[in-house]
Amino acid sequence: MKTHIKSIAATLLFLTISSLVFSQKITPFQSWETRDLAKANSARRMEDVSFQEKKVIFYINLARMNGALFAATYLKDYREDVRIPKNKYYRSLVKTLKEQDPLPPLQPKKDLFKEAIKHAKEMGRTGKKGHRSANHKGFEERMKKFKKKYIKIKENNQYGFPDALSIVIDLLIDDDIESLTHRKTLLNKKLKYIGVGIRSHKKYRINTALLFGGEIITN
């Protein structure tokens, strides 16, 4: 009986997410070069990774590779479609993207994916937010093994959006976050690798964990 109920709940969640995702307007912009779109889609060959998780990386990479074009296409189109306000955070994002030098696309790493998915699952199951694990390990303790491999390690978390473009734009705008921590992480030139986990959440319905790694330590 419990299994049947879980199955029904999972189906309803999938249908809800699907309707939200596919109701969003998606415009194929001809102003983007095919080779750049392919380069941005760096996780396309990853197995056991969802379409939306791959698309999160795709949109982050577009913003990194050509910020001005991202602002003029995907960001502008999204704002007009979703009607998000042109507040100071939105305006500062447009300015940042227009002035930003091209950055290399982030590359997927299985170990970062594994940890991101684990964290998203734990936050979803417990209904919590933040960087502390279900067994109360803080971010520094959780990241010990990664700090032996990567020069820099960062984590972003997002709650409530089921589709990749909404997730990325929400993190880039960083509304009401004066430090712009999430935006700065996504556009950090010292970060090279990424893992993404999108899972259901008891309170916010959906949550996304993004884990970023810098250069790999070679000695």
Side-chain angles (χ1 to χ4, degrees):
M1 182 65 178
K2 287 183 179 179
T3 303
H4 182 62
I5 292 171
K6 287 182 179 179
S7 177
I8 293 172
T11 301
L12 290 172
L13 178 61
F14 173 78
L15 291 172
T16 302
I17 293 170
S18 297
S19 64
L20 286 168
V21 171
F22 292 109
S23 65
Q24 179 182 299
K25 182 172 63 177
I26 299 174
T27 305
F29 293 104
Q30 294 181 348
S31 44
W32 284 92
E33 295 287 343
T34 302
R35 65 176 180 271
D36 290 333
L37 294 173
K39 192 181 295 184
N41 197 16
S42 59
R44 63 188 178 279
R45 293 191 178 92
M46 291 287 289
E47 296 179 356
D48 301 320
V49 174
S50 75
F51 175 77
Q52 291 300 323
E53 288 164 347
K54 291 178 181 180
K55 293 295 280 187
V56 164
I57 297 174
F58 173 72
Y59 289 125
I60 292 173
N61 282 341
L62 290 181
R64 287 171 62 88
M65 292 165 58
N66 193 333
L69 186 54
F70 184 85
T73 54
Y74 288 98
L75 179 61
K76 180 176 181 291
D77 190 65
Y78 184 87
R79 187 195 67 78
E80 292 172 351
D81 190 32
V82 181
R83 304 292 182 184
I84 55 178
K86 271 189 175 180
N87 59 17
K88 68 174 185 177
Y89 295 97
Y90 179 88
R91 295 194 302 272
S92 74
L93 172 59
V94 172
K95 183 175 186 294
T96 295
L97 290 171
K98 286 182 176 179
E99 295 174 353
Q100 172 188 292
D101 292 330
L103 299 173
L106 297 169
Q107 300 300 318
K109 281 290 184 183
K110 287 185 178 180
D111 57 342
L112 299 179
F113 264 97
K114 184 178 179 180
E115 179 63 26
I117 290 169
K118 178 185 176 183
H119 190 62
K121 283 181 177 178
E122 289 185 355
M123 294 301 97
R125 186 179 70 252
T126 60
K128 294 181 179 179
K129 292 176 67 175
H131 303 283
R132 190 172 292 276
S133 69
N135 59 354
H136 308 295
K137 285 185 179 180
F139 180 72
E140 293 299 320
E141 190 175 359
R142 285 177 51 222
M143 294 299 115
K144 277 183 181 178
K145 60 183 177 183
F146 295 104
K147 289 186 175 182
K148 294 177 182 178
K149 180 177 179 179
Y150 301 98
I151 290 175
K152 184 181 287 289
I153 195 83
K154 295 283 186 180
E155 185 176 64
N156 279 357
N157 299 305
Q158 199 283 329
Y159 306 88
F161 288 121
D163 66 285
L165 188 56
S166 294
I167 292 164
V168 173
I169 288 180
D170 183 62
L171 292 170
L172 283 170
I173 292 176
D174 239 1
D175 203 8
D176 285 334
I177 307 295
E178 291 291 341
S179 62
L180 302 176
T181 305
H182 303 102
R183 181 192 304 177
K184 289 176 181 177
T185 298
L186 266 60
L187 303 178
N188 189 329
K189 65 181 180 181
K190 293 183 179 180
L191 295 174
K192 308 293 182 183
Y193 305 102
I194 187 172
V196 179
I198 303 176
R199 293 297 185 273
S200 61
H201 194 283
K202 282 175 67 175
K203 184 175 180 181
Y204 299 99
R205 190 174 55 186
I206 295 288
N207 82 119
T208 302
L210 305 92
L211 194 59
F212 303 84
E215 292 281 359
I216 292 176
I217 299 169
T218 55
N219 55 357

